[in-house]
Amino acid sequence: MKKNILRIICIMAGAAITVNGICLMLRANITTGTWLTIILGLALLLPSLFIKHTKRLMKHTFFKCLAVCIILGTTTMLSTTLFLYFYGNNNNSTYNEDYLLILGCGVRGEEPSSALRERLDTALEYLKKNESCRIIVSGGQGRDERISEAEAMRRYLTANGISGSRILSEDKSTSTTENFKFSNSLTDGELADSSAVFITNDFHIYRASSLARLQGFSMNHIGAPTAWYNIFPSYLREFLAIGQMYLLNK
């Protein structure tokens, strides 16, 4: 009975995650996280659907070892996800910083992606409490983007009542490391020497904070929420990005 319940849960979860990944692939930019979401969904769905074949395969040592690796990897990934969630939602802003740095992400055509809108809306809430800070929007232009992420952010902020004279645009960066490095250069090093806070999505806070510290920055942070349909691709992709950060320091 318990095995049947577990099988049903795996089938339902696997189907939901797979559909989530396919829908994102059809309506948004295709990313590593999107592919990983579909793979995770199928990894739960297919063995549960074809249980007889799964049992037959599990008699072989190779597939037993593969199953152990998958279980260990999934456990590690879920533990890391919980850590990233709680770390990313532990904001430490004083709301009187001299600089607000908004880290860029995808743009669809000329419009901010849903993740980028979440960062910008969080920034607007911050700016209601701090009306004197300078704002840096940081992000270059990707292959499928008609304008830079910085320009998309600048337009969004000004359309929501923020004076363009407060906004500095850094539109050359292609990574989180470059976000901090190029933004500091844009201010002639003032960003590193002033009180500052950065905003990015909650799943990205830990890695962004770590990369900032590697460059000698001491900045506060605010995590923007992640839409439910972006949770799996975002956290899965971030899991791999953190591994890359520890291996390559970038």
Side-chain angles (χ1 to χ4, degrees), residues 10-11 13-18 36-47:
C10 288
I11 291 173
I17 293 170
T18 303
L36 289 173
T37 298
I38 294 174
I39 291 170
L40 175 63
L42 292 176
L44 287 171
L45 179 62
L46 295 180

Side-chain angles (χ1 to χ4, degrees), residues 41-250:
L42 292 176
L44 287 171
L45 179 62
L46 295 180
S48 302
L49 278 177
F50 303 104
I51 190 69
K52 291 182 179 180
H53 296 287
T54 302
K55 289 180 178 179
R56 191 178 304 121
L57 289 174
M58 289 302 293
K59 294 178 181 179
H60 301 280
T61 302
F62 171 80
F63 288 102
K64 287 182 180 178
C65 293
L66 180 61
V68 170
C69 290
I70 291 173
I71 291 170
L72 289 175
T74 302
T75 302
T76 302
M77 181 188 66
L78 291 175
S79 301
T80 303
T81 296
L82 286 173
F83 168 76
L84 294 178
Y85 175 81
F86 287 111
Y87 191 100
N89 285 277
N90 184 25
N91 301 330
N92 61 2
S93 173
T94 62
Y95 290 92
N96 61 0
E97 288 88 358
D98 297 321
Y99 280 96
L100 166 65
L101 171 60
I102 310 172
L103 305 185
C105 63
V107 171
R108 299 194 67 195
E110 297 186 7
E111 298 298 321
S113 62
S114 60
L116 188 52
R117 285 198 307 272
E118 287 153 2
R119 300 181 189 192
L120 291 165
D121 288 338
T122 300
L124 290 171
E125 289 299 315
Y126 173 88
L127 293 170
K128 291 178 182 178
K129 302 176 182 179
N130 186 346
E131 298 180 352
S132 61
C133 70
R134 300 297 302 276
I135 306 159
I136 303 175
V137 289
S138 177
Q141 184 174 350
R143 288 179 300 173
D144 301 325
E145 298 171 347
R146 296 177 188 170
I147 60 174
S148 69
E149 295 164 4
E151 177 59 18
M153 289 189 279
R154 187 195 67 79
R155 291 182 185 181
Y156 191 93
L157 293 175
T158 55
N160 282 275
I162 304 301
S163 172
S165 63
R166 296 177 64 187
I167 303 173
L168 299 174
S169 295
E170 184 288 297
D171 60 2
K172 303 300 181 186
S173 57
T174 59
S175 67
T176 303
T177 296
E178 291 181 350
N179 285 145
F180 292 106
K181 180 180 178 180
F182 294 170
S183 295
N184 192 45
S185 297
L186 185 66
T187 63
D188 295 322
E190 190 175 319
L191 178 64
D193 296 328
S194 304
S195 62
V197 60
F198 72 85
I199 288 178
T200 186
N201 289 91
D202 47 21
F203 62 85
H204 187 219
I205 287 288
Y206 173 75
R207 183 163 61 94
S209 296
S210 300
L211 291 171
R213 284 194 295 271
L214 283 173
Q215 297 184 73
F217 292 96
S218 178
M219 300 178 67
N220 297 331
H221 61 257
I222 299 176
T226 302
W228 64 268
Y229 51 82
N230 274 329
I231 287 176
F232 278 105
S234 298
Y235 278 93
L236 287 172
R237 182 173 179 271
E238 192 66 13
F239 178 74
L240 293 183
I242 288 173
Q244 175 182 285
M245 178 185 72
Y246 281 116
L247 288 173
L248 305 176
N249 284 336
K250 68 176 186 178

